[in-house]
């Protein structure tokens, strides 16, 4: 529910079959006469009451902002049926409708819904969002099922949480309709809303006359709008579902008041924000923005471009003004027509020219398939002689989906830094004849380069044939991509790219409260997407010197690594300095949260622990063996083992070492990433890593899971022992079972299993990498009864470290991740 974030603000309760008279303008004052919820009215952002706009004396019921000195009405109930005196009464009638009537009994407005029973007790409330809602109190389905809500019947203002768009089942069209003038809130001519179509886009209209169209939503934004700023004021979300489509907006900072309003004086949609300092509404943006935004400025096949503050028109390549005389005197109404000699599907006379950064033409006579590739799209257009252009319907990543245009192309404009590629059917020899410098749009200027581009395009398409399906949630903002590998095997892969603003919004602008923890590569935040999905977001530290492209490749690579013991990568976001990885959110946090807490560790009985050990081992084995490029995790630790609902382990942060620590997969590195206590000695000291250093970390993890104690690295229980030496000592003294976590009761575990695990743990933490088993052997050992080799005595890190410090004095670039890890480098 979109209103959810605001519910906590205020729940204003009202009108429990109460009559409110307009003698007192503010309904909320009446409320104090009733139950104890009065105070909640004090902190509301909005007020509901009777008012007279401007110089008018007519009375209306409306909602306006409270606590701001400029009376700003956001909703009017009886806009078309004013009350001429102060006798109005708003009440809930027996049928459960909110009714506004005057003294002589005339009904001026009603919610006009049909309710089931008259025995119900109906209740109306003004929510903190400014939504006036009607509920049936007896119907025990919570307060978020409304019989009626004012948000479904907007007047001229669009507020956060509101929807603009269609419910296709009921035919309800939520759109903004301007006031007639500032003294008269009655429905004016100017409207703003989504058109009902397979390809919805927003339009500002005067009656049926289109003044502005936004272009269809292209996965990132409505086509004609500019790319949002890095830190936008608000985030707009568009939803396209089977039975409804609409968009909503959410301010990024909820303490800033904002609104969209249709301003009839200038026939524009304005976004305003309240400035506390100046105590006034500031114009944030105005649509239409410039002359080119005016609908169909350059007519058929004409393209509008801004030259400073004024607009100019040109015909598309391959087109000439229908009436050159009129065109010269800036009468563009006749538009452009195809140059002579074009002939449909004839060699050299028919082809497509690519125009970049375009607002796509009016989609009135168009066709869409959201899963078709651009290649197929082109073929489909080519085959039908009335098809005039084609383009991707979604521009996320390299684009997907297909829109075809039939008949004249209207309302074209060029949008620097925005827009998308549009392929217009044209006379191909025109391309060679064109004087490229005259063109204000980027055009492929020669047939040769066109051929090269097409060849290239073809090759790329061949290798990377993408197919797009809309997500199950049917939100088209996020798309799935299928990549066909060159070997021919098809691998389904999701690779959504997220908008930075969205993620910032989802994580409350990376607020401290949302922080889950800090890993070796950056902090992790919890977030919730507007559709309710919980996510974990890793914000990679800026230190990564890797380029955007490489990063993206790495993410693709990571998303291919799919195993049930690996955390699922949901997507990524790259924007300027920011690199974010989006994971599935694990409600049960990480292993260390349970393991090292005396009360929570009881939840982990031995059979759970044994399952967790097995799961981790399988996950690591997958990383080491099953991907062609071996992945060495390099930062295995309890904090990186997340637990899902069933407490089954999922390894996080895999592949990050590749992303951030350089490209080697085996070898020597200057930058040691990892967590001390888990690092194999050869890695911690000499920076040499291999799959065997992961095995070492696994061994430590294993010992921790058995003992429920942290390997502190330096000392254990204030003795000069760490967990490894402790385990070794008990092993040598033949009392290994004393190593077991004391919170596990005797009889609740199988001793032979525990012994085996300790044994494997000790084998994994042997000093020499070659002595340690591979993960394959570890798994075999875990599941079989075979006798195991004797572990060699581990060399305890405490001693090794002091040696190491001397021998690696020139080695400075440690990037350790926690306190205890740093202390190792400092004299004690
Ligand atoms: C509203 O304000 C009152 C005090 O004025 C406070 O007790 C109450 O908790 C507030 N309610 C909300 C929902 O913030
Ligand atoms: C009731 O009052 C309204 C104005 O508020 C007026 O238009 C209407 O004619 C009156 N109806 C009757 C029956 O008097
Ligand atoms: C109320 O709704 C009914 C059908 O639901 C419709 O026929 C009637 O015109 C509506 N009345 C008003 C005043 O909107
Ligand atoms: C659309 O309208 C129908 C009929 O009024 C209603 O049952 C349905 O819940 C509405 N859909 C949404 C998504 O609000
Ligand atoms: C809307 O159109 C009407 C004519 O249909 C015109 O008189 C009026 O001025 C227009 N209003 C605006 C704001 O363009
Ligand atoms: C939100 O806006 C308020 C008021 O302008 C400001 O004090 C606060 O710092 C902002 N919060 C964030 C997270 O930007
Ligand atoms: C309507 O827009 C104009 C131009 O931006 C502005 O001067 C005027 O104040 C606006 N009116 C209202 C009521 O916002
Ligand atoms: C069209 O073709 C004819 C001959 O095929 C040629 O003479 C004429 O110049 C061409 N016109 C244009 C505009 O290319
Ligand atoms: C859309 O395109 C896909 C892929 O080309 C095809 O499988 C599907 O049938 C098409 N859908 C429609 C409605 O044409
Ligand atoms: C071309 O497309 C138009 C519009 O969709 C359609 O009416 C017409 O039948 C198509 N022609 C052919 C030959 O497919």
């Amino acid at each position: 529910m979109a209103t959810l974030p605001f519910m906590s603000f205020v729940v204003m309760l009202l009108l429990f079959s109460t009559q409110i008279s307009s003698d007192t303008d503010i309904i909320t004052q009446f409320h104090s006469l009733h139950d104890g919820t009065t105070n909640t009215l004090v902190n509301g952002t909005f007020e509901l009451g009777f008012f007279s706009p401007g110089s008018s004396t007519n009375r209306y019921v409306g909602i306006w902002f409270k606590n701001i000195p400029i009376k700003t009405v956001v909703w009017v109930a009886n806009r078309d049926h004013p009350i001429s005196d102060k006798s109005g009464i708003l009440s809930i009638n027996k049928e459960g409708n909110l009714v506004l009537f005057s003294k002589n009994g005339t009904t001026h407005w009603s919610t006009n819904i049909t309710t089931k029973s008259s025995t119900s007790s109906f209740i109306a409330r003004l929510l903190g969002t400014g939504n006036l809602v009607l509920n049936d109190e007896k119907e025990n389905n919570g307060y978020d099922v409304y019989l009626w809500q004012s948000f479904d019947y907007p007047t001229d203002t669009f507020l956060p949480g509101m929807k603009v768009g269609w419910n296709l089942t009921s035919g309800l069209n939520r759109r903004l309709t301007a006031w007639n003038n500032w003294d008269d809130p009655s429905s004016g001519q100017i409207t703003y809303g989504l058109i009902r179509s397979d390809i919805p886009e927003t339009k500002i209209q005067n009656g049926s006359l289109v003044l502005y169209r936004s272009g269809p939503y292209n996965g990132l934004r409505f086509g004609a709008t500019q790319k949002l700023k890095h830190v936008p004021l608000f985030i707009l979300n568009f939803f396209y579902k089977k039975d409804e489509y609409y968009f909503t907006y959410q301010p990024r900072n909820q303490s800033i008041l904002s609104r969209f309003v249709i301003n009839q004086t200038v026939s524009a949609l304005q976004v305003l924000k309240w400035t506390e300092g100046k105590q006034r509404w500031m114009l944030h943006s105005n649509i239409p923005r410039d002359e080119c935004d005016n609908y169909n400025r350059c007519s058929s096949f004409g393209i509008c471009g801004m030259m400073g503050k004024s607009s100019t028109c040109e015909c598309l390549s391959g087109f000439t003004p229908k009436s050159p005389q009129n065109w010269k005197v800036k009468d563009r109404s006749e538009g452009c027509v195809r140059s002579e000699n074009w002939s449909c599907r004839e060699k050299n006379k028919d082809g497509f020219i690519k125009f970049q950064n375009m607002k796509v033409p009016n989609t009135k006579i168009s066709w869409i398939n959201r899963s078709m590739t651009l290649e197929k799209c082109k073929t489909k257009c080519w085959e039908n002689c009335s098809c005039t252009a084609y383009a991707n319907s979604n521009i996320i990543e390299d684009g997907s989906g297909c829109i075809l245009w039939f008949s004249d192309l209207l309302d074209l404009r060029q949008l620097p830094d925005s827009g998308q590629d549009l392929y217009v059917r044209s006379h191909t020899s025109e391309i060679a004849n064109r004087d490229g410098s005259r063109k204000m749009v980027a055009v492929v200027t020669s047939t040769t380069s066109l051929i090269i581009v097409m060849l290239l395009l073809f090759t790329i398409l061949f290798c990377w044939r993408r197919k797009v399906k809309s997500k199950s949630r049917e939100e088209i903002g996020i798309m799935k991509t299928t990549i066909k590998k060159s070997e021919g095997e098809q691998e389904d892969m999701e690779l959504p790219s997220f908008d930075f603003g969205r993620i910032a919004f989802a994580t409350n602008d990376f607020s401290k409260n949302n922080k889950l923890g800090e890993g070796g590569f950056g902090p992790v935040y919890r977030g919730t997407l507007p559709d309710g999905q919980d996510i974990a977001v890793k914000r990679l530290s800026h230190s990564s010197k890797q380029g955007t492209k490489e990063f993206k490749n790495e993410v693709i690579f990571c998303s291919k690594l799919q195993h049930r013991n690996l955390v699922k990568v949901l997507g990524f976001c790259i924007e300027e300095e920011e690199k974010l990885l989006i994971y599935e959110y694990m409600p049960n946090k990480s292993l260390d949260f349970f393991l090292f807490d005396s009360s929570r560790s009881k939840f982990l009985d031995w059979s759970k622990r044994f399952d967790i050990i097995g799961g981790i081992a399988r996950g690591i084995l997958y990383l080491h063996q099953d991907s062609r490029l071996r992945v060495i995790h390099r930062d295995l630790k309890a904090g990186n083992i997340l637990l899902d609902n069933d407490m089954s382990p999922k390894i996080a942060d895999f592949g990050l070492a590749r992303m951030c620590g350089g490209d080697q997969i085996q070898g020597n590195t200057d930058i040691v990433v990892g967590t001390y206590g888990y690092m194999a000695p050869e890695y911690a000291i000499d920076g040499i890593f291999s799959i065997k250093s992961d095995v070492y970390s696994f061994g430590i993890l294993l010992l921790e899971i058995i003992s429920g104690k942290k390997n502190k690295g330096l000392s254990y229980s204030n003795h000069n022992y760490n967990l490894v030496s402790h385990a070794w000592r008990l092993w040598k003294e033949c009392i290994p079972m004393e190593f077991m976590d004391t919170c596990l009761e005797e009889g609740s575990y199988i001793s032979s299993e525990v012994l085996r695990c300790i044994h494997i743990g000790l084998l994994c933490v042997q000093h020499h990498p070659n002595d340690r088993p591979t993960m394959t052997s570890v798994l075999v050992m875990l599941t079989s009864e075979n006798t195991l080799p004797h572990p060699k005595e581990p060399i305890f890190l405490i001693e090794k470290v002091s040696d190491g410090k001397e021998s690696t004095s020139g080695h400075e670039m440690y990037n350790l991740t926690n306190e205890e890890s740093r202390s190792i480098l400092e004299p004690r």
Side-chain angles (χ1 to χ4, degrees), residues 252 500 503-515 525 537-539 578 580:
R252 268 194 73 197
F500 181 78
I503 298 301
F505 185 69
T507 57
N508 234 329
D509 211 3
F510 303 100
S511 87
K512 263 198 182 133
N513 294 340
N514 283 47
K515 194 161 159 178
Y525 299 86
V537 179
K538 180 146 222 154
R539 193 181 196 178
E578 298 285 354
L580 310 177

Side-chain angles (χ1 to χ4, degrees), residues 147-382:
L147 296 171
W148 178 91
Q149 55 178 327
S150 64
F151 271 14
D152 277 345
Y153 304 91
T155 52
D156 68 337
T157 305
F158 181 36
L159 293 172
M162 236 158 120
K163 295 172 177 179
V164 166
W166 288 84
N167 176 336
L168 301 177
T169 319
S170 63
L172 176 70
N173 179 16
R174 302 180 202 88
R175 63 169 184 178
L176 310 183
T177 308
W179 290 20
N180 256 317
N181 61 61
W182 298 116
D183 292 338
D184 178 9
S186 63
S187 308
Q189 289 293 300
I190 313 293
T191 59
Y192 172 73
L194 275 176
I195 54 158
R196 185 167 185 167
S197 154
D198 287 344
I199 316 170
E201 51 181 310
T202 70
K203 282 184 178 171
I204 299 176
Q205 287 176 288
N206 175 5
S208 57
L209 184 74
V210 178
L211 303 177
Y212 164 86
R213 57 175 277 274
S214 66
Y217 193 80
N218 61 24
L220 293 175
R221 60 190 88 95
F222 285 106
T225 50
Q226 290 288 29
K227 194 166 179 247
L228 286 178
K229 293 201 196 87
H230 188 49
V231 182
L233 174 66
F234 58 84
I235 291 149
L236 196 134
N237 280 300
F238 178 72
F239 299 87
Y240 185 87
K241 307 178 188 180
K242 214 182 278 157
D243 56 348
E244 60 173 350
Y245 36 78
Y246 60 87
F247 63 96
T248 62
Y249 92 97
Q250 300 286 331
R252 268 194 73 197
N253 183 337
Q254 297 190 355
S255 54
I256 295 174
L257 299 180
S258 62
R259 64 193 167 109
F260 284 52
V261 67
I262 287 281
N263 180 330
Q264 69 279 2
T265 350
V266 288
S267 302
L269 177 74
Q270 299 184 326
V271 183
L272 300 147
K273 78 172 196 186
W274 181 254
T275 47
E276 209 55 62
K278 292 182 180 143
Q279 290 286 295
R280 64 183 180 91
W281 290 102
M282 288 253 293
L283 187 63
H284 177 265
S285 48
N286 191 83
I287 292 166
R289 265 170 310 167
D290 52 28
E291 283 184 9
C292 279
D293 262 357
N294 293 324
Y295 180 71
N296 209 19
R297 180 116 193 128
C298 299
S299 206
S300 308
F301 301 107
I303 172 171
C304 191
M306 292 302 295
M307 300 271 196
K309 293 220 153 165
S310 59
S311 63
T312 59
C313 289
E314 290 242 5
C315 291
L316 287 170
S317 277
F319 295 80
T320 50
K322 188 168 183 193
S323 158
Q325 289 86 358
N326 289 349
W327 191 267
K328 265 198 196 115
V329 295
K330 306 216 158 150
D331 175 1
R332 325 286 196 194
S333 57
E334 285 162 290
C336 309
V337 290
R338 225 180 270 285
S339 321
E340 295 160 47
N341 297 349
W342 176 79
S343 157
C344 180
R345 294 167 76 175
E346 192 178 317
K347 209 177 164 195
N348 292 331
K349 292 199 172 177
D350 191 11
F352 293 97
I353 302 179
K354 175 177 167 183
F355 293 85
Q356 291 172 322
N357 299 111
M358 296 292 287
K359 168 183 177 179
V360 299
N362 194 2
T363 54
K364 195 161 181 192
I365 310 176
S366 300
W367 177 91
I368 189 167
N369 181 329
R370 295 184 197 276
S371 57
M372 201 174 250
T373 60
L374 196 61
E375 182 192 18
K376 275 207 180 134
C377 192
K378 181 183 176 183
T379 314
K380 188 145 178 96
C381 190
W382 169 262

Side-chain angles (χ1 to χ4, degrees), residues 419-445:
Q420 68 178 95
D421 295 346
L422 175 73
Y423 301 83
V424 177
R425 186 168 214 149
S426 189
H427 193 318
T428 38
S429 70
E430 274 296 322
I431 304 162
N433 296 341
R434 279 215 76 80
D435 174 12
S437 63
R438 234 191 72 216
K439 218 49 211 163
M440 56 183 179
V441 242
V443 169
V444 182
T445 47

Side-chain angles (χ1 to χ4, degrees), residues 82-85 87 102 104-106 108:
I83 303 169
S84 52
D85 56 20
S87 71
S102 51
N104 67 7
T106 315
H108 292 261

Side-chain angles (χ1 to χ4, degrees), residues 142 370 380 524 587 650 741:
R370 295 184 197 276
K380 188 145 178 96
V524 183
K650 293 190 182 239
D741 194 340

